Amino acid sequence: MAYSLPDLPYDYSALEPHIDAKTMEIHHTKHHQTYVDKLNAAIEGNDSLQYDHVDELLKNFDSVPEDVKTPVRNHGGGHSNHTLFWTIMGPDAGGEPSGEIASAIDDAFGSFKEFRDKFNTAATNHFGSGWAWLVLDAGKADVISLPNQDSPLMQGKVPLLGLDVWEHAYYLKYQNKRPDYIEAWWNVVNWDAVNERLTAAR
Ligand code: MN3
């Protein structure tokens, strides 16, 4: 079964002015599509690597054969990460979380502000391409950053919220000003979706 590009749950312009429509369109139809295509090419004909959801493939990354580990890491990670990314953003979103995720953040970091500061630092200081993540690690919330398209699932962690800090995610609108992109992105975080991910993980 070949993987396919998921539809966005909103229009390309829905996250304006924080994330511009052109960036969203290129990011979805070009970058994400390329990860899907290259993943499919890498695992074509290999029955042991066909899962219903790419996340299952990444959870079993240790058993992926050496000759396809690199493309699965890069393009499987890319497909999984972007599939998550589109859903944890939305219009009429942002602000502070409520519900279970708010409690998990308070328990782990002390307050939402302390969490946000830690996440911002991880996202801002990550050198080169990669992602900042809020993950569930052995049942507890944590902030990490990972290079390229590496997925927390490859480390046995559950990704709850992720921020793409590759330049393709922000360069058209923000150029070299990654901190401005990060600040704007908080306005489109869909905490309902993050709560759903936490509930599913538990
Ligand atoms: Mn990207």
Side-chain angles (χ1 to χ4, degrees), residues 27 31 35 73-74 78 81-82 122-133 144-151 163-171 178 181:
H27 203 170
H31 292 277
Y35 296 123
R73 168 173 234 130
N74 291 338
N81 293 344
H82 288 85
T124 305
N125 293 351
H126 181 86
F127 182 76
S129 297
W131 292 67
W133 294 102
I144 59 173
S145 75
L146 293 175
N148 304 313
Q149 296 296 352
D150 282 10
S151 163
L163 173 57
D164 188 343
V165 295
W166 284 58
E167 283 187 345
H168 68 230
Y170 63 88
Y171 209 85
R178 187 192 286 182
Y181 158 67

Side-chain angles (χ1 to χ4, degrees), residues 90-109:
D92 308 315
E96 294 204 13
S98 59
E100 270 195 69
I101 190 66
S103 306
I105 285 173
D106 286 345
D107 288 348
F109 307 102

Side-chain angles (χ1 to χ4, degrees), residues 78-181:
H79 178 32
S80 170
N81 293 344
H82 288 85
T83 298
L84 174 149
F85 192 50
W86 310 133
T87 62
I88 57 83
M89 300 189 292
D92 308 315
E96 294 204 13
S98 59
E100 270 195 69
I101 190 66
S103 306
I105 285 173
D106 286 345
D107 288 348
F109 307 102
S111 68
F112 179 66
K113 184 186 181 304
E114 284 177 81
F115 154 68
R116 216 178 107 128
D117 288 348
K118 190 170 183 187
F119 192 97
N120 283 348
T121 299
T124 305
N125 293 351
H126 181 86
F127 182 76
S129 297
W131 292 67
W133 294 102
L134 171 65
V135 297
L136 209 56
D137 182 6
K140 194 162 193 271
D142 195 14
V143 165
I144 59 173
S145 75
L146 293 175
N148 304 313
Q149 296 296 352
D150 282 10
S151 163
L153 295 167
M154 295 170 187
Q155 305 182 348
K157 298 169 184 173
V158 182
L160 300 175
L161 175 69
L163 173 57
D164 188 343
V165 295
W166 284 58
E167 283 187 345
H168 68 230
Y170 63 88
Y171 209 85
L172 282 183
K173 182 176 172 78
Y174 295 98
Q175 293 83 48
N176 60 319
K177 299 185 286 288
R178 187 192 286 182
D180 290 0
Y181 158 67

